[in-house]
């Protein structure tokens, strides 16, 4: 796809800037007062997801101008390119094939590779669930320890924890990411070597944390008396580098693969989903993919004004670039979705945290927002004070379920809190009304004015509300696909690559060099802060020897 001029040099971009000025003083309350049916009008539904985007600062003119911006960015053409398997990841000359994992592959060869990989993964999962996989001593595997990090952990972890009540009793599935060995130790304290299988999940098969934990696991098995040439019975691998897994000592029939065109943060739909299929069963894994595929088809075919990923993505661009809101909170009112903010943090920040366009030109506009959040109503007792009365505006995505995913009464309360917070952010509580109430309660004029100044909630703070038809695998699949495609929409508007992550390499290389300097390598080239901190570590080590 030929590269186009920077989007902020376009007339559509300039028109949005001018339009933004027209919003001066127009509040969300004004928009609802001018159109009482706004809430009914400004929603879109697809694949079991209801998106209420009405509590954002936009008018029909805004949407028209965003539509023009999408046309200038050739969004429709880029959507076709994504599903056609074009090299949308220019810096690595790769396609982004996550849609193909749950739907039509761009060509027969890719389709066969995906099908074979999924079939092998589901077969291993089924064998583990049926107690057909035995360790070196012939005992059935009762515990699966998934060793992975980032996209090789967050997706499977999210889905397995989302439906914990539907987990099979055996094998128990555990997740370990940390380089801090106490994390693995805490899990192994509840495992028996003879009945434990480790899954070495690493697309690159070179990630320090995962390989370190795998070595610890191998030593743990050896210390339990499992012979070195039998330890391989206690490992499997999920990787794009099968030759490295084999060299590490994993048997061919235990190596599951995913193609290089599957980005780590987009990989839960691939063989990386093994823990999902083990814990929840092949049917739930298949339902998850079907939900994502339903959102894929919606994304490919729905008009802009009814397209959930496009609406979410374009309104994100509007808020980031024209309202300068540099962060977004993700607030799920479902305990099972407590890991969703972490998952979306990687998906959105590792995809959109870019400063150059696909052709390498440095950008002059803001790109990816800072994504964060927590299970609700926990956040209401933690950071909602800042959301409501802080000096920064933080757009929020509220997520709830229509059908109870828990008992009816707590579900009613959760849903009420979700709506209450979204409304409080928009409507606020004005000072004059507060003063009148305080005066009526007997406070003096000065007291009423003082207290009202502290109690005032400014309001006019935007949010989306996404209501899942049910807390079900298909709805979760659709929700995650919605966010994947919203990310893609934003990347296309900005002209950036959503599928590489060169920045993280620097940290990995630096850590390796500093680690060597901590044990004697030359540190003279480092800055005085790093050198002083190294000395701190060394002196502490000297003291503890
Ligand atoms: O953070 C960098 C990164 O490469 C992520 O993109 C990836 O999900 C994670 O590390 C783990 O990588 P791997 O699956 O290769 O171990």
């Amino acid at each position: 796809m030929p590269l186009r001029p920077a989007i902020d040099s376009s007339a559509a971009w300039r028109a949005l800037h001018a339009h933004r000025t027209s919003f001066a003083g127009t509040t969300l309350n004004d928009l609802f007062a001018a159109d009482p049916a706004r809430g009914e009008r400004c929603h879109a539904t697809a694949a079991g997801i209801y998106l209420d985007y009405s509590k954002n600062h936009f008018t029909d003119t805004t949407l028209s101008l965003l539509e023009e911006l999408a046309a200038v960015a050739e969004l429709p053409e880029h959507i076709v390119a994504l599903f056609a398997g074009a090299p949308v990841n220019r810096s690595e000359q790769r396609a982004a094939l996550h849609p193909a994992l749950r739907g039509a592959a761009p060509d027969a060869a890719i389709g066969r590779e995906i099908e074979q990989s999924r079939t092998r993964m589901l077969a291993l999962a089924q064998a583990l669930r049926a107690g057909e996989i035995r360790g070196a001593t012939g005992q059935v595997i009762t515990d699966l320890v998934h060793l992975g990090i980032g996209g090789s952990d967050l997706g499977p972890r999210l889905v397995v924890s989302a439906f914990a009540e539907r987990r099979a009793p055996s094998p128990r599935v555990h997740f370990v990411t940390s380089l801090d060995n106490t994390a693995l130790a805490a899990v192994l304290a509840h495992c028996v070597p003879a009945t434990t299988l480790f899954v070495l999940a690493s697309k690159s098969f070179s990630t320090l944390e995962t390989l370190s934990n795998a070595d610890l696991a191998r030593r743990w098995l050896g210390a339990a008396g499992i012979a070195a040439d039998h330890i391989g019975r206690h490992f499997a691998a999920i990787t794009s580098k099968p030759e490295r897994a084999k060299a590490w000592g994993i048997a061919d029939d235990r190596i599951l693969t995913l193609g290089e065109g599957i980005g780590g943060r987009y990989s839960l739909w691939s063989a990386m989903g093994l823990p999902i299929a083990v814990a929840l069963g092949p049917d739930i894994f298949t339902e998850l993919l079907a939900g994502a595929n339903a959102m894929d088809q919606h994304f490919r075919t729905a008009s802009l004004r009814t397209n959930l990923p496009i609406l979410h993505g374009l309104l994100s661009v509007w808020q980031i670039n024209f309202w300068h809101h540099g962060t977004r909170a993700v607030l799920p009112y479902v305990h099972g979705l407590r890991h969703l903010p972490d998952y979306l943090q990687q998906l959105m920040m590792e995809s959109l945290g870019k400063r150059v366009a696909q052709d390498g030109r440095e950008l002059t506009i803001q790109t990816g927002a800072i994504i964060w959040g927590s299970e609700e109503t926990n956040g209401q007792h933690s950071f909602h004070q800042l959301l409501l009365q802080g000096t920064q505006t933080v757009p929020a995505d509220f997520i709830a379920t229509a059908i109870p995913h828990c008992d009816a009464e707590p579900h009613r309360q959760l849903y009420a809190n979700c709506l209450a917070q979204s409304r409080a952010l928009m409507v606020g509580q004005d000072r004059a009304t507060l003063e009148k109430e305080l005066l009526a309660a007997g406070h003096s004029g000065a007291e009423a004015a003082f207290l009202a100044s502290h109690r005032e909630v400014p309001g006019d703070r935007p949010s989306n509300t996404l209501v899942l038809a049910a807390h079900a695998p298909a709805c979760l699949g659709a929700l995650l696909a919605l966010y994947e495609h919203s990310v893609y929409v934003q990347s296309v508007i900005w002209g950036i690559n959503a599928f590489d992550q060169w920045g993280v390499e620097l940290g990995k290389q630096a850590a390796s060099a500093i680690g060597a300097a901590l044990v004697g390598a030359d540190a003279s080239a480092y800055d005085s802060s790093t050198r002083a901190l190294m000395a701190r570590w060394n002196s502490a080590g000297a003291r503890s020897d």
Side-chain angles (χ1 to χ4, degrees):
M1 182 151 314
L3 289 165
R4 56 153 212 259
I7 194 69
D8 53 324
S9 67
S10 68
W13 188 273
R14 291 193 295 274
L16 278 162
H17 257 301
H19 175 59
R20 167 72 181 87
T21 309
S22 72
F23 258 95
T26 304
T27 66
L28 291 170
N29 288 336
D30 295 335
L31 293 170
F32 274 84
D35 172 10
R38 184 181 174 88
E40 286 91 40
R41 197 165 53 80
C42 300
H43 79 269
T45 305
I49 312 286
Y50 176 102
L51 169 64
D52 171 5
Y53 57 95
S54 63
K55 300 191 185 87
N56 288 293
H57 296 88
F58 71 90
T59 63
D60 285 345
T61 303
T62 319
L63 293 181
S64 299
L65 292 174
L66 286 170
E67 212 157 12
E68 287 172 26
L69 189 72
V72 169
E74 298 177 322
L75 179 60
E77 293 83 347
H78 280 81
I79 293 173
V80 170
L82 173 70
F83 286 92
V88 292
N89 174 354
R90 277 176 66 92
S91 70
E92 294 175 307
Q93 276 305 302
R94 286 177 187 163
L97 293 173
H98 47 288
L101 291 170
R102 64 243 184 171
D107 67 50
I110 291 172
R112 278 195 302 276
E113 180 187 336
I114 287 172
E115 189 62 36
Q116 287 165 5
S117 173
R118 183 187 307 130
T119 300
R120 292 188 67 233
M121 183 275 279
L122 293 176
L124 178 57
Q126 200 51 31
L128 281 161
R129 288 164 60 87
E132 294 164 5
I133 303 293
R134 295 171 183 271
T137 63
Q139 296 178 64
V140 172
I141 294 298
T142 60
D143 289 86
L144 181 151
V145 181
H146 185 89
L147 305 176
I149 197 164
S152 295
D153 164 80
L154 288 165
R157 180 191 295 262
L158 164 62
V159 178
V160 170
S161 59
F163 304 105
E165 74 287 351
R166 299 173 70 176
R167 281 186 176 190
S170 181
R172 295 182 304 170
V173 172
H174 314 271
F175 292 92
V176 178
T177 59
S178 178
L179 188 56
D180 182 334
N181 65 299
T182 59
L184 178 59
V187 166
L188 297 186
H190 303 283
C191 296
V192 174
T195 63
T196 300
L197 178 80
F198 293 94
V199 177
L200 211 171
S202 178
K203 196 181 159 206
S204 63
F205 214 88
S206 65
T207 300
L208 170 67
E209 296 88 345
T210 305
L211 294 179
S212 297
N213 279 322
D215 283 337
L216 288 174
R218 186 157 51 184
R219 288 209 289 269
W220 180 71
L221 293 166
I226 294 175
D229 57 351
H230 289 168
I231 278 180
R233 303 276 295 276
H234 293 268
F235 280 94
I238 308 170
T239 185
S240 295
K241 305 290 186 192
E243 69 284 357
R244 292 179 184 171
K246 189 168 182 176
W248 193 89
I250 299 185
D252 284 345
D253 66 347
R254 291 285 185 81
I255 299 174
L256 303 176
T257 57
L258 61 155
E260 287 289 5
I262 307 298
R265 53 193 175 271
Y266 296 88
S267 67
L268 77 89
W269 324 97
S270 71
M272 196 58 74
L274 175 69
I276 300 170
V278 171
L280 303 174
D283 292 348
I284 285 186
F285 183 75
T286 306
E287 286 169 37
L288 188 77
L289 266 60
N293 185 41
M295 185 56 73
D296 290 346
Q297 300 319 312
H298 167 73
F299 177 51
R300 296 175 78 171
T301 56
S303 65
L304 184 141
R305 300 288 183 106
T306 63
N307 195 305
L308 278 74
I310 294 180
L311 285 164
H312 188 275
L314 290 180
L315 287 171
S316 296
V317 168
W318 173 235
Q319 287 174 338
I320 292 165
N321 295 109
F322 299 93
W323 292 75
H324 309 300
H325 299 329
T327 175
R328 176 176 295 274
V330 174
L331 307 174
Y333 281 72
V334 184
H335 179 62
L337 297 184
R338 61 194 176 281
H339 293 306
L340 181 65
D342 292 345
Y343 175 83
L344 293 181
Q345 204 165 57
Q346 186 201 15
L347 175 65
M348 303 181 86
M349 294 176 75
E350 200 165 76
S351 295
L352 298 174
K354 310 290 167 62
R355 53 186 290 282
V356 299
Q358 288 262 29
D359 63 2
R361 281 172 300 161
E362 195 166 330
L363 295 169
T364 55
I365 54 175
Q366 292 295 319
T367 55
I370 296 166
I371 305 300
W372 61 283
S374 85
E375 173 188 359
E376 295 294 302
T377 59
N378 297 4
Q380 294 176 198
H381 301 276
S382 165
F383 49 78
H384 279 228
Q385 168 59 36
L386 183 142
L387 300 185
L388 289 157
Q389 285 188 325
T391 54
Q392 300 184 63
T393 294
V394 178
D397 279 4
F398 290 92
I399 297 163
T401 53
I403 296 172
H405 61 275
C406 56
D407 290 352
E409 178 55 13
H411 183 255
R412 184 184 68 84
Q413 297 280 17
L414 280 166
Y415 202 78
N417 272 273
C418 180
L419 273 52
Q421 292 297 319
S422 169
R423 175 172 164 77
L425 284 169
M426 174 174 78
V427 174
Q429 193 168 42
D430 75 285
R431 190 181 299 206
T433 306
L434 282 163
E435 249 184 278
K436 283 183 192 146
E437 290 169 359
L438 289 160
L439 286 168
H443 290 278
S444 69
E447 281 171 343
F450 170 73
L451 289 173
S453 68
H454 286 279
R455 295 185 188 185
E456 181 183 29
V457 177
D460 202 34
R461 297 189 173 183
S463 67
N464 295 315
T465 300
L466 298 97
V467 182
L468 312 186
H471 181 51
C475 284
L476 180 55
L479 180 70
L480 300 184
L482 191 169
Y483 277 106
E484 285 177 346
H485 297 320
S486 171
V487 162
Y488 185 60
V489 168
Q490 295 173 65
S491 74
V492 168
I493 298 298
W494 293 325
I496 63 177
N497 184 343
F499 303 110
D500 61 6
Q501 56 284 323
W502 296 107
V504 297
E505 295 312 313
L506 176 61
K508 295 177 183 178
Q509 291 154 17
S512 173
I514 289 176
L518 284 174
V519 287
D522 175 24
S524 57
Y526 288 108
D527 61 274
S528 57
S529 165
T530 302
R531 288 202 314 274
L533 291 166
M534 285 184 193
R536 188 83 182 152
W537 183 84
N538 280 309
S539 61
R543 280 200 305 277
S544 66
D545 284 355

